[in-house]
């Protein structure tokens, strides 16, 4: 049966779910359960938490005595691995596929829950033999290969925390993250495949480790097999270690406090220094598994594909942890969506019978460019639900995704959330009537508002700042090593009300649907990747020709936003095409290819406030030929 598209008096483009979708849905009445989740928040979350395995039950669901440092399920003893792996081994799921992995060159590996447990336990013992202790942070810098998941899960199993650094980041970004986490152990690979080329991770890791005095051990997976430099007594091959008797396949899962650190994940903010958001075992396990189960209606027979990278929060929450907690079969693909041809993803959907695909608007727009003929060559009838994340999805891309990929049968779950929130915050359920481009309504237990700078609710349909009005179990607990910055960044502006400031602008329409507009701080979403203007500016300033730099995001057809940089040169240097290229390369070298500026403009002066702050807003308005707004603070 195909989804019916009815006209509504409120909105001419409202997509109602089919009777089949509603029949299959876990939740059939959003409003009633939502009301209950707000009036009895703790009761709601206690019930969801009871669906997990606890070594010891919690004393208190929510402890808000030290706001904004909330605690969830305190007194409870748990380990996310007990839920993501161990408990499945006692059921028929032991022999169910946990992971289907395909490499870019076409090699395939699969792991049942039994096999996953073996690999994770062995590597957990390897980490222990390297002296890894509960509470220490292991940095993981890897391509999209199963060993990346094994490394994350092995850390969690023995109570160590992981800090996964996206494999597209470069030397400077990696070194800064290793330094902040004071990692003693780094897990990497010789490289990964991307569009037929090798992404030479080990060389980058070698350079980063040179700058990182804390690193004693580097474990390297052989993936691409090209020659790499291995330092004596510091570097070890993964396969060598996994072949030793120390890699025993039995390893007890460490009993953790609910509030113990599970991982830190660095993300960009207003200043140049990336912030490590800290997530914990208990609340994060409850929140990610609940959101995943209800929003994507996960069933045991499903094959779930979150086409993100584990190096970002989407990968952590919805590629690794929640699918495994929910006992799903997950798909992982190493390479580019258009390699060797633009049908690669559709081929994967057909080949493995994927039921749910969760990806970003940038990926959709990118694949849309190649035309409908590519997906049409494949049988996509296994798909039942689609998802979108990372940036606002423009209605044109939404409609293409819905019509061509979902064949007007699959509702699209447009999920709004952040590294800081751990999981979905505003999202449809499969039963929600959809409007292309709207993330619709808050998830259970979540109260949102769109307000002005005084905290006053703006009128329906008007733009304002998005805030979250009450705590939720998946929230980041702090910024690693910088609790003051955590308070300052998220909780200071609406301290009186006790609200969390999301950093996005948005509006709520007459039906109560949320429309996210974009970031209001100095964060740019490029292809859904989160970058800080300050990071890009610092990278530019490391070049000897640059005396000052400013970076802004401007709309881009595929990437959503593209980086435009403005630089003032030192006196001995002259502007030119060659220097422009060199500066772009400098940013790639320092941060990574995702941060490569689209254009660089040479300037004599930059618009600044009298106190010397660069007015990026003015640069942005000028570049787009828009009104510069209030420039009364602009320097002469
Ligand atoms: C943006 C990614 C509109 C938003 C999970 C947010 C979105 C930032 C959506 C967080 C969406 C994410 N619609 N905007 N469905 N999802 N965003 O930390 O600006 O990488 O603040 O987390 O992405 O980015 P982050």
């Amino acid at each position: 049966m195909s989804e019916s598209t009815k006209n509504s008096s409120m909105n001419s483009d409202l997509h109602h779910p089919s009777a089949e979708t509603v029949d299959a849905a876990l939740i059939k009445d959003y409003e009633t359960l939502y009301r209950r989740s707000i009036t009895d928040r703790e009761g709601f979350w206690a019930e969801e938490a009871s669906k997990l395995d606890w070594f010891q039950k919690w004393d208190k669901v929510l402890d808000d005595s030290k706001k904004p440092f909330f605690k969830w399920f305190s007194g409870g003893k748990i380990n996310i691995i007990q839920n993501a792996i161990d408990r499945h081994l006692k059921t028929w799921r032991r022999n169910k596929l946990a992971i289907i992995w395909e490499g870019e060159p076409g090699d395939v590996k699969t792991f049942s829950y039994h096999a996953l447990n073996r690999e994770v336990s062995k590597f957990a013992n390897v980490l222990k033999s390297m002296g890894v202790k509960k509470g220490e942070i292991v940095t993981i810098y890897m391509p999209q290969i199963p060993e990346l998941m094994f490394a994350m899960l092995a850390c969690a199993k023995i109570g160590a925390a992981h800090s996964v650094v996206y494999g597209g980041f470069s030397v400077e970004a990696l070194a800064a993250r290793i330094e902040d986490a004071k990692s003693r152990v780094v897990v990497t690979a010789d490289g990964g495949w991307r569009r037929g080329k090798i992404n030479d991770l080990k060389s980058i890791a070698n350079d980063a480790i040179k700058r990182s005095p804390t690193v004693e051990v580097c474990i390297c997976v052989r993936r691409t097999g090209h020659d790499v430099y291995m330092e004596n007594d510091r570097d070890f091959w993964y396969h060598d270690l996994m072949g030793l008797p120390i890699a025993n396949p039995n390893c007890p899962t460490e009993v953790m406090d609910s509030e113990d650190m599970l991982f830190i994940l660095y993300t960009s903010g207003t200043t140049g220094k990336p912030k490590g958001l800290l997530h914990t075992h208990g609340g994060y396990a409850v929140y990610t598994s609940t959101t995943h189960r209800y929003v994507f209606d996960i069933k045991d027979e499903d094959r779930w594909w979150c086409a993100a990278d584990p190096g970002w929060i989407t990968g952590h929450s919805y590629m690794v942890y929640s699918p495994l907690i929910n006992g799903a079969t997950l798909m992982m693909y190493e390479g580019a969506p258009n390699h060797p041809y633009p049908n690669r993803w559709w081929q994967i959907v057909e080949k493995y019978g994927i039921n749910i695909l969760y990806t970003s608007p940038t990926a959709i727009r990118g694949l849309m460019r190649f035309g409908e003929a590519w997906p049409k060559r494949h049988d996509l009838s296994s798909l039942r639900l689609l998802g979108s994340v990372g940036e606002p999805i423009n209605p044109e891309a939404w409609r293409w995704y819905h019509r061509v990929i979902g064949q007007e049968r699959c509702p699209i779950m447009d999920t709004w959330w952040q590294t800081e929130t751990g999981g979905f915050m505003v999202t449809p359920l499969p039963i929600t009537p959809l409007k292309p481009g709207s993330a619709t309504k808050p998830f259970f237990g979540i109260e949102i508002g769109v307000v002005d700078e005084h905290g006053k609710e703006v009128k329906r349909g008007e733009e304002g700042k998005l805030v979250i009005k009450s705590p939720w179990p998946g929230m980041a607990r702090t910024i690693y090593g910088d609790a003051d910055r955590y308070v300052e960044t998220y909780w200071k502006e609406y301290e009186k009300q006790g609200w969390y400031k999301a950093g996005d602008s948005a509006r709520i329409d007459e039906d109560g649907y949320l429309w996210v507009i974009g970031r209001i701080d100095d964060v740019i979403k490029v292809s859904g990747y989160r970058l800080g203007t300050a990071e890009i500016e610092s990278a530019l300033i490391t070049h000897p020709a640059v005396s000052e730099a400013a970076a802004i995001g401007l709309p881009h057809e595929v990437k959503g936003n593209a980086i435009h940089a403005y630089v003032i040169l030192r006196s001995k240097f002259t502007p030119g095409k060659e220097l422009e290229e060199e500066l772009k390369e400098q940013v790639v070298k320092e941060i990574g290819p995702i941060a490569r500026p689209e254009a660089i403009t040479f300037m004599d002066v930059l618009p600044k406030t009298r106190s010397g702050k660069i007015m990026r807003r003015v640069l942005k308005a000028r570049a787009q030929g828009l009104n510069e707004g209030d420039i009364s603070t602009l320097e002469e």
Side-chain angles (χ1 to χ4, degrees), residues 133 161 199 210 214 233 261 344 458 495 503 528 607 623:
K133 300 250 157 30
N199 177 12
K210 259 190 234 150
T214 55
D233 299 331
M261 170 166 66
R344 186 65 186 266
V458 301
E495 193 178 10

Side-chain angles (χ1 to χ4, degrees), residues 419 522 560:
T419 306
D522 298 324

